[in-house]
Amino acid sequence: MVKAGDKSGGGKKGLKRKTASEELQETVSGDGTAEGGVQPPKSAAFPPGFSISEIKNKQRRHLMFTRWKQQQRKEKLAAKKKLKKEREALGDKAPPKPVPKTIDNQRVYDETTVDPNDEEVAYDEATDEFASYFNRQTSPKILITTSDRPHGRTVRLCEQLSTVIPNSHVYYRRGLALKKIIPQCISRDFTDLIVINEDRKTPNGLILSHLPRGPTAHFKMSSVRLRKEIKRKGKEPTEHIPEVILNNFTTRLGHSVGRMFASLFPHDPQFIGRQVATFHNQRDYIFFRFHRYIFKSEKKVGIQELGPRFTLKLRSLQKGTFDSKYGEYEWVHKPREMDTSRRKFHL
Amino acid sequence: MAASAGARWNHVWVGTETGILKGVNLQRKQAANFTATGQPRREEAVSALCWGSSDETQILLGCADGMVRHFSTNEGRFQGQRHCPGGEGTFRGLARAGGNLITCVDSGILRVWCDDDKEASSSDPLLELRVGPGVCKMRQDPAHPHMVATGGKENALKVWDLQGSEEPVFRAKNVRNDWLDLRVPIWEQDIHFLPDSQKLVTCTGYHQVRVYDPASPQRRPVLEATYGEYPLTAMTLSPEGNSVIVGNTHGQLAEIDLRQGRLLGCLKGLAGSVRALQCHPSKPLLASCGLDRVLRVHRIRNPRGLEHKDEPQEPQEPNKVSPEDTETDELWASLETVAKRKLADSRQSQGTPQTRHKKKRPRSTSP
């Protein structure tokens, strides 16, 4: 009969579903004898280890599975309700809710995380290449360009970036070598160079070089959304200088990169413009957003996203201006060595 | 003071770009900072380090402002300094020969100074040589303290005898033109004298490792090996003397056998450009430091892997490994047992050499 056919030794997935499958076997036999509803489980007629996946009939199998799933859902809901009742009953004495584990929670502690009281790092930062910006001796002047022969998307991204970053100028690349552009920029007092690299008509890379002698960072750029692709966006950004938010740059490398981004924007934000550029680092990905905010009351803020949005991932940080072949690198991303753990991040 | 007692037990000495000298005790995993003036200063960036005396109680630091500072490891403090002017650029080599101090700067001026503590620092060098512009390294022969070798960017390898004439004893010749009949550029980044012979080994910015033999009639390199595609910045001899370990600007470390010119294996872990490498004189341990601000100690064989990592948070420059005293011998020995225990859990060994250049696998040609 059916039972003999269904017998099997040693279920593979049997362990979790053992008791459930035993119940179901009862319902199988129950259905065969035309009894209505799910009967309470009696002692199993089949050897344990029978799992639903071994029913050969697809429709039957599907039915059994959906029934099992519904049962699981019911049990889960019942358990949740019970827990909630218990918490209410205990009131203030209830134990705190358990915090779910996330990859950010479980992050491996990075030894290069900067301690705010560290004097060596403070001295290092006070005298590095960005010192003249942070001492307000220079104000930024940015040159934005692309790789050779850019397509429409990249050109539009450059234009939108130049509205977001004050005092920036966009130039066409026209096949010039970066190593020849850089001395010209330095002589014209530019402080930063941004090159947006393009591949197959979409921008996919960003090279940010701080000019007099400063470090050059090479990023992978993804998820680029131009202004017209952003839903519920606001009007065009105005000429006011935006505020800058740098989130979660905790390690020494993160500090360097964060300072690089900060030095793109002039020092004194004009709060009257209510515009803010955010560089949010999470799990080594840097999310760039540009918003306009308005305070509706003391605690409530409304924000409107303007401007382009993109995600960056650092590939390398090179000391000195752009020289990928002979330059010395402060940090290079090596996937096979550095990406072995899902919980270790470098920025 | 604690510093003076601790100074004795430091295994590795590292100089930094902010002028701080750090002594790292690998057993206790501590680092101690020593500064000449008590405050870090960028002008005192250490560009060259060498032992001041044969018993390794004194360290000489060549700083960016043209001063050579003396540091005593016994007392744990800076003892004096000497201004060594002349030429532009940072120190590229520092050495001690008898009572004299040999310095070489970037613009090619090599000077020998009389280094007597009692005497007021006289500003006249005993000997001055011009070795050519763009010097990247000057190294003293440990077996013959009066022989030095210099080399740099477009500055061929030259070996000078300081007691002899003003002309170099050995001047290397460039290799033949390459297959396009173009001149091969020269950029010697690091030089070492091989022990027990007259040979020299250099590593270049064009990712070549070359061995020269002044005793042989040919002035061209006797052996040439290449590694990677990035400039090699630092090199050190392995304790057995048959191989060298080189590091490049991407933080890749490789051990190259000098008998055949073969790559023996790589070491991983560094993320930034390697600035200095130093092997322990007898044990198979390698200390490396670089622009990623971390000092790492690797074990070179049995098995190859990372042993210890220290985070001093400063961009680092030259380093020196402490000697084999009897006391430090015990320390190294106890370090070995610690290492064995550590290796059981965190094995990062590189069993097979990593440079299998892409093997052509038979690809199935399916339409």
Side-chain angles (χ1 to χ4, degrees):
Chain A
M1 269 199 59
V2 179
K3 297 179 190 176
D6 286 339
K7 215 197 282 193
S8 68
K12 292 165 241 166
K13 311 172 196 173
L15 286 175
K16 258 197 277 181
R17 297 181 180 183
K18 242 190 226 175
T19 47
S21 59
E22 281 166 23
E23 281 180 51
L24 285 163
Q25 283 154 32
E26 297 313 303
T27 55
V28 166
S29 50
D31 277 346
T33 52
E35 284 181 23
V38 177
Q39 300 298 316
K42 299 171 193 140
S43 57
F46 299 110
F50 180 82
S51 74
I52 312 172
S53 59
E54 283 159 20
I55 302 175
K56 296 302 179 186
N57 183 338
K58 185 169 178 174
Q59 282 182 340
R60 185 100 210 142
R61 190 169 66 232
H62 183 68
L63 188 77
M64 288 294 122
F65 180 71
T66 38
R67 212 184 288 178
W68 177 80
K69 218 38 188 166
Q70 281 165 2
Q71 193 156 32
Q72 292 291 92
R73 231 175 274 148
K74 251 198 212 170
E75 284 171 15
K76 192 173 170 187
L77 207 60
K80 259 197 190 165
K81 264 195 181 165
K82 188 169 149 219
L83 203 61
K84 192 168 176 190
K85 264 204 183 134
E86 281 175 15
R87 284 186 78 89
E88 277 174 22
L90 282 180
D92 282 331
K93 286 178 288 186
K97 274 191 169 172
V99 178
K101 281 199 251 187
T102 62
I103 291 189
D104 302 292
N105 279 346
Q106 308 292 101
R107 177 177 178 174
V108 164
Y109 174 70
D110 198 331
E111 307 100 349
T112 54
T113 309
V114 175
D115 177 25
N117 304 325
D118 197 335
E119 297 165 343
E120 284 180 29
V121 174
Y123 178 77
D124 201 11
E125 292 192 343
T127 52
D128 70 355
E129 295 99 352
F130 300 106
S132 64
Y133 165 80
F134 284 99
N135 293 336
R136 300 189 180 227
Q137 286 159 358
T138 51
S139 74
K141 186 175 172 191
I142 318 244
L143 179 79
I144 303 181
T145 184
T146 64
S147 53
D148 200 20
R149 297 196 154 263
H151 283 85
R153 237 179 118 78
T154 314
V155 173
R156 263 173 266 135
L157 176 68
C158 287
E159 288 167 17
Q160 292 179 8
L161 260 187
S162 71
T163 57
V164 163
I165 304 178
N167 203 9
S168 58
H169 307 260
V170 180
Y171 285 89
Y172 276 119
R173 179 76 176 268
R174 303 185 103 223
L176 298 167
L178 278 181
K179 287 194 202 169
K180 295 212 171 104
I181 296 178
I182 286 176
Q184 297 250 336
C185 284
I186 297 177
S187 67
R188 285 168 173 74
D189 282 334
F190 279 93
T191 57
D192 288 276
L193 172 71
I194 299 182
V195 182
I196 298 190
N197 190 60
E198 185 202 37
D199 185 49
R200 289 168 68 111
K201 306 184 190 171
T202 47
N204 72 346
L206 183 88
I207 296 176
L208 175 57
S209 185
H210 188 70
L211 274 185
R213 298 153 323 230
T216 304
H218 177 32
F219 296 94
K220 209 169 18 174
M221 183 153 60
S222 51
S223 269
V224 178
R225 303 279 177 263
L226 300 175
R227 227 166 252 155
K228 64 179 186 178
E229 294 158 11
I230 298 179
K231 296 187 177 159
R232 294 179 283 272
K233 70 167 194 294
K235 292 192 181 151
E236 299 285 310
T238 58
E239 296 286 320
H240 297 104
I241 297 176
E243 300 162 50
V244 181
I245 295 180
L246 296 162
N247 272 343
N248 211 9
F249 289 96
T250 49
T251 63
R252 185 71 190 83
L253 180 68
H255 264 240
S256 309
V257 172
R259 283 162 73 83
M260 266 191 111
F261 285 129
S263 69
L264 289 176
F265 295 88
H267 244 293
D268 303 306
Q270 289 169 314
F271 295 102
I272 199 161
R274 289 184 281 122
Q275 289 175 140
V276 57
T278 309
F279 292 90
H280 176 87
N281 172 39
Q282 190 161 344
R283 298 202 203 171
D284 280 354
Y285 283 90
I286 302 171
F287 299 92
F288 172 77
R289 301 286 183 270
F290 194 75
H291 293 281
R292 180 177 286 134
Y293 61 87
I294 182 159
F295 277 101
K296 296 177 194 160
S297 71
E298 270 272 328
K299 298 276 172 92
K300 287 182 73 172
V301 195
I303 53 173
Q304 259 184 350
E305 187 167 1
L306 329 168
R309 152 209 296 199
F310 48 84
T311 318
L312 298 172
K313 188 168 187 199
L314 183 69
R315 279 175 70 172
S316 65
L317 183 65
Q318 184 214 325
K319 210 171 162 78
T321 56
F322 180 78
D323 191 350
S324 57
K325 207 161 152 199
Y326 300 118
E328 294 204 326
Y329 285 84
E330 250 190 69
W331 189 81
V332 174
H333 180 249
K334 294 183 182 171
R336 296 191 72 180
E337 288 177 30
M338 297 180 183
D339 286 348
T340 44
S341 165
R342 296 186 69 154
R343 289 173 288 275
K344 180 150 180 61
F345 307 111
H346 309 283
L347 269 188
Chain B
M1 284 162 278
S4 55
R8 192 75 188 78
W9 298 92
N10 290 318
H11 298 124
V12 187
W13 295 95
V14 190
T16 62
E17 266 184 13
T18 48
I20 301 176
L21 177 71
K22 290 177 187 266
V24 181
N25 185 329
L26 295 171
Q27 202 194 19
R28 269 186 252 145
K29 311 223 169 61
Q30 284 172 346
N33 286 356
F34 302 100
T35 42
T37 51
Q39 286 294 315
R41 287 172 60 218
R42 285 261 168 196
E43 298 84 22
E44 291 172 17
V46 176
S47 52
L49 271 188
C50 79
W51 292 113
S53 52
S54 52
D55 53 348
E56 302 188 355
T57 51
Q58 206 190 46
I59 299 180
L60 300 173
L61 290 85
C63 301
D65 51 2
M67 305 284 252
V68 175
R69 294 183 164 85
H70 304 250
F71 177 82
S72 156
T73 53
N74 284 333
E75 293 167 38
R77 60 181 188 85
F78 281 82
Q79 279 177 330
Q81 62 188 29
R82 196 201 162 82
H83 186 49
C84 300
E88 294 163 356
T90 60
F91 287 110
R92 294 293 186 186
L94 205 62
R96 194 71 178 261
N100 299 335
L101 180 67
I102 311 171
T103 61
C104 184
V105 286
D106 199 27
S107 62
I109 305 218
L110 191 153
R111 287 186 167 172
V112 181
W113 309 82
C114 174
D115 197 29
D116 216 342
D117 290 327
K118 309 288 186 290
E119 196 179 283
S121 51
S122 53
S123 54
D124 289 330
L126 293 175
L127 177 64
E128 180 173 322
L129 287 174
R130 284 177 193 278
V131 300
V135 173
C136 288
K137 200 75 189 180
M138 180 207 67
R139 186 76 74 169
Q140 181 194 40
D141 190 350
H144 310 104
H146 55 96
M147 305 279 276
V148 294
T150 58
K153 189 147 191 170
E154 296 307 326
N155 187 340
L157 176 71
K158 299 183 184 83
V159 181
W160 306 83
D161 186 350
L162 297 172
Q163 292 168 347
S165 67
E166 293 256 325
E167 289 297 312
V169 168
F170 172 72
R171 187 195 289 261
K173 194 168 167 180
N174 196 5
V175 294
R176 291 203 165 87
N177 288 351
D178 61 11
W179 63 291
L180 292 170
D181 202 23
L182 292 170
R183 177 186 171 266
V184 177
I186 303 174
W187 186 4
E188 315 275 356
Q189 289 258 41
D190 204 348
I191 309 171
H192 269 276
F193 282 86
L194 287 174
D196 301 329
S197 75
Q198 277 191 325
K199 294 189 202 170
L200 297 112
V201 56
T202 63
C203 72
T204 69
Y206 299 107
H207 47 85
Q208 298 145 333
V209 176
R210 292 174 168 164
V211 177
Y212 293 88
D213 193 356
S216 75
Q218 72 174 30
R219 284 163 54 206
R220 290 201 163 119
V222 165
L223 178 77
E224 181 170 313
T226 57
Y227 170 67
E229 5 173 273
Y230 298 103
L232 301 175
T233 48
M235 185 169 70
T236 183
L237 298 168
S238 68
E240 290 90 28
N242 292 327
S243 55
V244 287
I245 301 180
V246 290
N248 68 7
T249 53
H250 265 230
Q252 294 159 346
L253 295 174
E255 185 173 359
I256 296 185
D257 186 29
L258 292 176
R259 293 174 288 190
Q260 293 202 315
R262 237 170 24 105
L263 177 77
L264 290 178
C266 297
L267 294 161
K268 57 182 187 178
L270 271 91
S273 173
V274 178
R275 276 290 170 94
L277 291 173
Q278 187 79 35
C279 258
H280 191 278
S282 55
K283 299 203 167 56
L285 293 169
L286 170 79
S288 60
C289 69
L291 291 179
D292 59 348
R293 302 181 166 92
V294 176
L295 172 75
R296 286 181 174 87
V297 176
H298 284 89
R299 175 180 286 273
I300 315 174
R301 30 188 126 273
N302 321 321
R304 205 178 263 125
L306 180 70
E307 191 165 295
H308 173 71
K309 208 160 91 150
D310 189 47
E311 319 271 340
Q313 302 277 10
E314 303 278 327
Q316 312 195 2
E317 302 267 342
N319 63 11
K320 279 272 163 264
V321 172
S322 176
E324 284 197 281
D325 278 342
T326 45
E327 302 131 85
T328 47
D329 244 352
E330 288 161 15
L331 286 175
W332 281 111
S334 50
L335 189 62
E336 296 230 40
T337 51
V338 166
K340 278 185 195 135
R341 265 187 279 129
K342 247 172 100 170
L343 282 170
D345 8 356
S346 58
R347 251 192 151 163
Q348 294 183 43
S349 51
Q350 289 272 318
T352 54
Q354 241 183 18
T355 61
R356 290 286 134 85
H357 297 286
K358 304 180 177 66
K359 267 194 207 154
K360 286 215 173 111
R361 289 181 215 283
R363 289 187 204 281
S364 57
T365 49
S366 50

